[in-house]
Amino acid sequence: MSFLFKSIILGNFLINFSFVLLANSNSLIFKNIECEIKFDNNKSKFLSLDIADTFEKRSYGLMNREKIETNEGMLFIWEDSEIREFWMKNTYFNLDLFFVNKYGVIVEVFKNAKAFDEKKIISKEKVKFVLEMKAGDIKANVGDNLICNSNQIINRD
């Protein structure tokens, strides 16, 4: 097979995969868990979080949802810690992003990401988790802890 033919086949595959992802995005099923933010003043707040732990779920995230309730959000999970990139494409409301290390400690906060903004939001540190909440919903800061007891999501070693 020629290089051109292989490139055309790969291109068609990627286009078809994108359409399948978009067509199925409304049917993605997100597991929901309850987590807790422990603030440095010993107070805490309970959160109801949808889990984005696959490529498809992380790619779709909170896009096309018209609203989320108070104390609801999404927790993005990866196997390893890396620099993470986000954007607000097709997101209908402003968000706060909390970048969380493998121990559950918030190491960086990006406040008030604007709805529909396609500018990249890039973490400064390698993280394993990113928590997205409606802007202003929680007042968590660097050093606060995210605790999720569902199947040891956050490694406390």
Side-chain angles (χ1 to χ4, degrees), residues 60 62-64 87-91 114-118:
Y60 197 70
L62 290 171
M63 288 193 311
N64 298 314
W87 64 354
M88 297 292 290
K89 183 176 182 172
N90 296 325
T91 305
K114 301 296 181 203
F116 298 103
D117 189 354
E118 294 189 25

Side-chain angles (χ1 to χ4, degrees), residues 47-65:
L47 310 172
S48 177
L49 304 177
D50 285 345
I51 299 298
D53 58 355
T54 66
F55 174 80
E56 292 82 9
K57 290 177 184 177
R58 289 188 298 262
S59 296
Y60 197 70
L62 290 171
M63 288 193 311
N64 298 314
R65 290 194 193 184

